[in-house]
């Protein structure tokens, strides 16, 4: 196979829109056997699937009408051309994606997993330089983008904040963008003003990625969130179509949830339960955008007990830095997601997500640390997924996604089997 066994099987299940149980029954094998075939190749329980199964799965997929839709997309040219904005290979908004194109990027992210897991290395971006221009505080996003670019063989130049930039001297966004474009091959921009990243992008023809623009959008976060949901649902035997998504917290200023709702609206028949303190409700234009996409149900509430029945609970912190007239300093205890709340109202297999950082101070009442050892908490797996997804973004925008698979070679160092102390709980589930 040109791709790993895990990527091959995941791709087949996505194309056929089948859960693991149904897929196993479709190809006539036990669920346990399928689970071992879907493990990373370095896992102790990994098993290679018989060649006859590979041929059978290939035949099933090729006979499905859904494949024709994917084939038509491929005939229209590279993915970067299909998601281009204003004719440029840039990522500014989730609205650049269709369901088919986003799932194609998901497959590319799957292909990046051996590199992200430190099993393989690739140098397809050797010689390329990324400009990480962050004019707003960031740890995870900035480092994640830089690490993703480096893991494909590129190098990174960082700048953070206004104080040490020429913009503090009055330089315009246009001038900054045009000058930086002469130094680097791609840029990631984070800026506190909504719409500012689009200004950067307008001044250059090199790839620009929106790393967050004020209360606007955060497309790469939405992509990694979607990737996390699809991966977790695959493990749990669920489909995203028809699922129940609860989004809680500061929905007015939380740009991650604005992008996520738009992205999820590409799927069918979702129920959104939006839970926020009074005054921090989801903007009406986001709700209208979702409503225009079809048969989705959107309910707004101020009660955390309405997480009942949710397949995903996505929490956000209070975005105090974006407040204008609001006086809220933190959530009241009634809005905290903690183990007691989940044990009372949450499903046993619910997925708990958060874009991070979470405010762990006791009086903030953000996502509780008493869930740190709870297998339902996916926030660290979610953060880890930022690497393969952002690698996929760079590979697509720079046109090297078809070179990655054949460029991989084994790492020369010895990475730990599990990055975090709780990760062993999930060993073998991905």
């Amino acid at each position: 196979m040109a791709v790993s066994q895990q990527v091959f099987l995941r791709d087949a299940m996505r194309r056929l829109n089948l859960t693991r149980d149904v897929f196993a029954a479709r190809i006539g094998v036990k669920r346990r056997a399928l689970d071992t075939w879907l493990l990373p190749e370095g896992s102790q329980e990994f098993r290679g699937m018989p060649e006859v199964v590979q041929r059978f799965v290939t035949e099933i997929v090729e006979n499905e009408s859904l494949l024709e839709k994917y084939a038509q997309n491929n005939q229209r040219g590279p993915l970067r051309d299909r998601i281009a904005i204003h004719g440029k290979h840039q990522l500014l908004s989730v609205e650049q994606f269709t369901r088919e194109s986003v799932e194609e990027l998901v497959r590319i992210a799957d292909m990046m997993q051996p590199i992200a897991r430190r099993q393989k290395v690739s140098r397809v971006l050797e010689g390329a330089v990324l400009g990480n221009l962050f004019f707003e505080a960031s740890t995870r996003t900035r480092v994640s983008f830089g690490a993703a670019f480096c893991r494909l063989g590129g190098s990174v130049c960082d700048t953070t904040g206004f104080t040490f930039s020429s913009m503090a001297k009055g330089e315009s966004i246009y001038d900054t963008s045009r000058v930086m474009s002469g130094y680097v091959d791609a840029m990631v921009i984070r800026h506190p003003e909504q719409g500012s990243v689009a200004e950067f992008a307008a001044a250059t023809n090199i790839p620009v990625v929106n790393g967050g623009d004020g209360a606007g959008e955060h497309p790469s976060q939405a992509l990694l969130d979607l990737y996390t949901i699809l991966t977790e649902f695959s493990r749990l035997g669920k489909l995203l179509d028809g699922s129940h998504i609860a989004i809680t917290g500061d929905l007015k200023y939380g740009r991650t949830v604005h992008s996520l709702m738009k992205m999820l609206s590409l799927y069918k028949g979702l129920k959104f339960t939006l839970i926020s303190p009074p005054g921090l409700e989801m903007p009406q234009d986001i709700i209208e955008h979702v409503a225009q996409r079809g048969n989705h149900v959107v309910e707004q509430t101020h009660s955390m007990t309405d997480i009942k029945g949710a397949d995903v609970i996505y929490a956000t912190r209070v975005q105090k830095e974006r407040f204008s007239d609001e006086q809220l300093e933190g959530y009241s205890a009634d809005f905290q997601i903690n183990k007691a709340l989940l044990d009372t109202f949450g499903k046993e297999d619910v997925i708990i997500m958060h874009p991070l950082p979470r405010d762990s101070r006791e009086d903030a009442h953000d996502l509780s640390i008493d869930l740190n050892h709870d297998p339902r908490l996916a926030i660290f797996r979610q953060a880890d997924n930022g690497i393969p997804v952002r690698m996929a973004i760079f590979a697509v925008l720079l046109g090297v996604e078809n070179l990655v698979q054949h460029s991989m070679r084994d790492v020369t160092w010895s990475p730990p089997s599990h990055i975090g102390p709780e990760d062993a709980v999930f060993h073998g589930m991905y």
Side-chain angles (χ1 to χ4, degrees), residues 221-396:
Q221 181 70 45
L223 287 165
L224 76 88
D225 290 341
L226 173 65
Y227 184 81
T228 299
I229 293 170
L230 290 173
T231 304
E232 297 286 323
F233 275 19
S234 174
R235 173 174 64 83
L236 295 169
K238 295 183 177 183
L239 296 176
L240 182 49
D241 288 327
S243 60
H244 180 185
I245 313 293
I247 304 179
T248 75
D250 182 353
L251 309 187
K252 181 177 181 179
Y253 294 109
R255 60 191 170 203
T256 60
V257 295
H258 299 168
S259 291
L260 180 60
M261 277 198 70
K262 289 181 179 180
M263 183 68 76
L264 290 175
S265 70
L266 295 173
Y267 289 79
K268 298 177 182 177
L270 272 64
K271 176 182 178 181
F272 293 98
T273 299
L274 308 179
I275 309 171
S276 65
L280 295 179
E281 292 87 356
M282 183 70 71
Q284 190 60 33
D285 65 300
I286 304 295
I287 294 175
E288 290 174 358
H289 177 95
V290 172
Q292 291 169 1
R293 290 292 179 95
N295 56 338
H296 301 297
V297 176
V298 180
E299 296 179 353
Q300 297 210 68
T301 174
H302 301 302
S303 173
M304 290 300 295
T305 62
D306 290 323
I307 64 170
K308 188 174 182 179
D311 298 294
V312 176
I313 300 173
Y314 193 103
T316 62
R317 68 177 178 87
V318 174
Q319 309 281 315
K320 289 185 291 186
E321 66 272 22
R322 307 194 200 288
F323 281 11
S324 52
D325 300 325
E326 297 85 355
Q327 300 299 317
L328 186 68
E329 287 296 317
Y331 299 129
S332 68
D334 294 338
F335 280 92
Q336 185 175 49
I337 298 174
N338 52 36
K339 195 171 190 312
L341 179 75
L342 284 187
D343 289 345
T344 304
F345 298 103
K347 294 171 68 172
E348 289 185 1
D349 60 354
V350 67
I351 302 164
I352 310 301
M353 299 174 64
H354 192 297
L356 301 179
R358 60 173 166 172
D359 191 337
S360 297
R361 291 171 291 189
E362 189 173 340
D363 60 347
H365 302 300
D366 200 346
L367 182 62
S368 176
I369 60 174
D370 72 358
L371 290 167
N372 279 4
H373 304 295
D374 193 310
R376 294 172 291 187
L377 187 73
I379 61 174
F380 300 116
R381 303 192 293 280
Q382 178 186 359
D384 290 346
N385 286 335
I387 298 296
V389 169
R390 288 175 171 131
M391 288 171 67
I393 290 170
F394 287 132
V396 167

Side-chain angles (χ1 to χ4, degrees), residues 139-206:
T139 302
R140 273 147 297 278
T141 304
R142 180 172 56 83
V143 174
S144 175
F145 269 117
F149 204 81
C150 288
R151 291 204 180 277
L152 288 173
S155 55
V156 180
C157 294
D158 273 319
T159 183
T160 57
F162 284 99
T163 306
F164 301 105
S165 77
S166 290
M167 294 181 77
K169 304 173 184 177
E171 185 175 51
S172 68
I173 286 178
Y174 183 95
D175 286 1
T176 300
S177 178
R178 176 58 187 86
V179 170
M180 289 299 299
S181 300
Y183 304 154
V184 300
D185 301 288
M187 289 191 288
V188 177
I189 312 292
R190 171 170 286 189
H191 197 281
E193 295 180 12
Q194 187 169 343
S196 55
V197 177
E199 289 188 54
F200 271 95
T204 181
N205 289 327
I206 71 170

Side-chain angles (χ1 to χ4, degrees), residues 75-114:
Q75 290 169 6
R76 293 205 299 266
L79 178 57
R80 70 176 188 160
D81 291 342
R82 284 180 273 127
I83 65 171
I85 183 167
H86 307 309
K88 299 179 182 181
H89 300 136
Q90 300 174 338
L91 177 55
L92 308 183
S93 169
V94 297
E95 294 183 48
Q96 294 171 232
F97 287 93
T98 62
R99 176 166 174 168
E100 291 74 30
S101 61
V102 78
E103 290 187 347
E104 187 171 339
L105 188 124
V106 164
R107 293 197 297 276
I108 295 169
D110 276 344
M111 182 177 64
M112 301 295 181
Q113 281 288 9

